[in-house]
Amino acid sequence: SAPSPLPGTMSETVPDAATSGSVPETAAAASPVPGTVNLEERVREWEMRPDRPFCAESLSLLTVADQMRVTPRALSNYINYVRMVNFNAWINELRVGEIKRIIRDHPDADIADLMVASGFSSRTSISRAVKAATGLSITALKSRLASSAPENH
């Protein structure tokens, strides 16, 4: 059984087929009720989508909340109080995870390829995000991942 949601962070009331109009955000319900969606589940589903929406350039809290069909406030509260980071740091963490995946699959990918594929708009922003998430430069991250990769040949 899943843990109970934290007040104001894990559950949000959203319209369903049985309701018309908008339904206000709820503080949280101890158990799901009709019209209540577990925000954590929505976030995980969004993070795991095969189209990797977090790699789109110029993401905003409003855009992502809209994609998840939740309010920006609920998403922001979830990210801040459950994930313990702000929106931009959360997106950067997801993008750095994508960079690691790309490096593992394509060790010869250069920084420009990684930047475009992961949604960063500049070399500076990708370098800062990788350093913040891993403590390593992109070159050092590539070396570390290459040395820890299982031999496929």
Side-chain angles (χ1 to χ4, degrees):
S1 158
S4 296
L6 298 175
T9 59
M10 305 282 284
S11 292
E12 174 181 316
T13 302
V14 295
D16 62 18
T19 40
S20 60
S22 64
V23 178
E25 190 177 329
T26 184
S31 62
V33 295
T36 301
V37 174
N38 185 311
L39 185 52
E40 183 169 348
E41 186 175 314
R42 290 246 174 135
V43 170
R44 285 189 181 145
E45 287 173 1
W46 186 85
E47 290 173 334
M48 301 303 287
R49 282 178 31 190
D51 62 337
R52 296 176 178 87
F54 49 85
C55 291
E57 279 192 48
S58 303
L59 284 179
S60 69
L61 177 66
L62 186 60
T63 302
V64 174
D66 186 55
Q67 290 173 3
M68 290 183 197
R69 296 182 44 190
V70 299
T71 65
R73 181 177 180 185
L75 179 57
S76 180
N77 285 341
Y78 173 82
I79 295 166
N80 293 337
Y81 298 109
V82 176
R83 298 292 179 93
M84 304 299 290
V85 293
N86 67 31
F87 176 79
N88 289 327
W90 172 63
I91 293 297
N92 285 347
E93 287 173 5
L94 294 170
R95 288 175 173 176
V96 170
E98 180 65 6
I99 288 167
K100 290 177 181 179
R101 186 195 66 77
I102 293 168
I103 291 170
R104 284 187 198 104
D105 292 349
H106 307 281
D108 295 331
D110 65 17
I111 293 175
D113 294 333
L114 296 171
M115 186 180 79
V116 170
S118 61
F120 286 101
S121 58
S122 72
R123 288 178 181 261
T124 302
S125 61
I126 190 173
S127 296
R128 283 184 184 151
V130 168
K131 183 77 167 181
T134 67
L136 302 170
S137 68
I138 294 172
T139 304
L141 177 64
K142 287 177 74 170
S143 296
R144 177 166 294 170
L145 292 174
S147 68
S148 66
E151 294 297 321
N152 293 331
H153 304 287

